[in-house]
């Protein structure tokens, strides 16, 4: 069942494919309208076209303040308002801490954390003028625990989690809710190269024994965008098949 988003206008960054595309689809399915932004122009335009008149696409580099201003201006021009923002754009790379270069670490932080910061700062006056709204920041299960091989990525996702808390506290009086979603391993174009497969038994390291699919994460995001989550701000919602809850029974009983 789609979350009720009738009349709401949402900007979804990194919306060309994977989780972002599924989130854009969930917004439209709930009766809302969506501006999809991404640096992947063809994929983004195709995704928007597949959703019909309720969707638009704009090329958008989340590290650029000018691009962020253009995104909000474009959404207002196309749909008349902005009610929500999903900070989904990011890069997923893995490296041991001792092997991570300073330049690469900075690049990951720039996209995954500074991009979210600029998005928040750009959204605040727009949502404040409207009387409130909802911002959902996509962190990761790697932002809830220490995950090896994620020096830059994990640090950025912990940063997104913290920035979410700060935004929630500072903006509550303005009626702006800020929450984070923490996906576990999810089958997307970004993770397909890791060799994971969807379906039961495909990921035995997590209690549910499988990876997630984008639609499952998108449903949680859509809920947080909706008025059904009106009393939720500063929350961190793990959608990870139980991975951050603890070790699996299979692991504990293995002989």
């Amino acid at each position: 069942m789609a979350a009720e988003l009738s009349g709401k206008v949402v900007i979804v960054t990194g919306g060309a494919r994977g989780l972002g595309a599924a989130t854009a689809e969930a917004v439209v399915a709930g009766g809302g309208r969506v501006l999809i932004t991404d640096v992947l122009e063809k994929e983004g335009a195709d995704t928007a076209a597949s959703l019909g008149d309720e969707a638009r696409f704009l090329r958008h580099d989340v590290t650029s303040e000018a691009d962020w201003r253009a995104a909000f201006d474009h959404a207002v021009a196309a749909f008349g308002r902005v009610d929500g923002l999903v900070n989904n754009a990011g890069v997923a790379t893995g490296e041991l801490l001792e092997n991570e270069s300073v330049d690469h670490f900075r690049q990951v932080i720039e996209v995954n954390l500074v991009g979210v910061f600029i998005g928040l700062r750009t959204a605040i006056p727009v949502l404040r003028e409207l009387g409130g709204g909802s911002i959902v920041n996509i962190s990761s299960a790697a932002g809830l625990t220490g995950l090896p091989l994620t020096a830059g990525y994990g640090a950025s996702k912990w940063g997104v989690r913290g920035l979410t808390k700060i935004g929630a506290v500072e903006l509550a009086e303005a009626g702006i809710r800020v929450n984070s979603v923490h996906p576990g391993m999810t089958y997307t174009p970004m993770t397909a190269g890791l060799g994971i497969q969807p379906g039961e038994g495909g990921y035995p390291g997590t209690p549910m024994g499988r990876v997630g699919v984008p639609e499952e994460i998108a449903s949680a995001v859509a809920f947080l965008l909706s008025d059904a989550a009106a009393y939720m701000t500063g929350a961190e919602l793990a959608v990870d098949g139980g991975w951050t809850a603890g070790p699996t029974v299979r692991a504990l009983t293995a002989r």
Side-chain angles (χ1 to χ4, degrees):
M1 181 177 176
E4 176 55 53
L5 295 170
S6 295
K8 295 189 183 297
V9 176
V10 180
I11 297 173
V12 179
T13 70
R17 61 183 188 176
L19 171 56
T23 299
E25 291 169 10
V27 170
V28 173
R33 293 170 289 175
V34 63
L35 174 64
I36 296 166
T37 78
D38 209 305
V39 294
L40 301 174
E41 296 187 52
K42 182 181 185 307
E43 293 95 326
D46 288 347
T47 297
S50 73
L51 296 176
D53 292 339
E54 307 309 309
R56 300 285 191 279
F57 171 74
L58 182 70
R59 188 189 187 284
H60 175 200
D61 174 0
V62 295
T63 68
S64 165
E65 293 184 67
D67 277 14
W68 269 109
R69 289 192 294 270
F72 274 85
D73 288 346
H74 191 90
V76 171
F79 299 125
R81 58 190 285 148
V82 176
D83 301 273
L85 167 65
V86 180
N87 277 309
N88 170 72
V91 293
T93 59
E95 188 57 84
L96 287 169
L97 180 61
E98 63 183 317
N99 296 334
E100 179 79 277
S101 72
V102 173
D103 285 345
H104 185 260
F105 185 87
R106 283 179 173 148
Q107 290 169 6
V108 174
I109 295 294
E110 189 74 16
V111 175
N112 289 6
L113 181 54
V114 178
V116 172
F117 165 72
I118 301 172
L120 281 164
R121 201 173 69 166
T122 310
I124 289 168
V126 178
L127 298 181
R128 192 189 296 276
E129 184 175 354
L130 187 69
S134 175
I135 299 172
V136 182
N137 297 324
I138 306 302
S139 179
S140 168
L144 294 170
T145 189
L147 184 64
L149 289 166
T150 66
Y153 178 78
S156 71
K157 294 303 186 178
W158 275 86
V160 168
R161 178 187 178 194
L163 196 57
T164 298
K165 303 287 191 190
I166 294 164
V169 172
E170 291 186 357
L171 301 172
E173 289 187 6
I176 301 171
R177 298 183 295 107
V178 190
N179 295 288
S180 59
V181 171
H182 299 254
M185 184 62 75
T186 306
Y187 188 74
T188 68
M190 189 178 289
T191 60
L194 299 176
I196 63 171
Q197 294 296 324
E200 298 300 325
Y203 198 54
T206 200
M208 291 186 72
R210 65 176 179 84
V211 300
V213 294
E215 292 75 16
E216 292 172 316
I217 315 301
S219 293
V221 176
F223 165 70
L224 290 173
L225 290 169
S226 77
D227 293 340
Y231 197 51
M232 291 181 68
T233 195
E236 48 195 46
L237 193 57
V239 190
D240 64 356
W243 187 78
T244 55
T248 68
V249 172
R250 289 183 295 277
L252 291 172
T253 58
R255 295 290 187 271

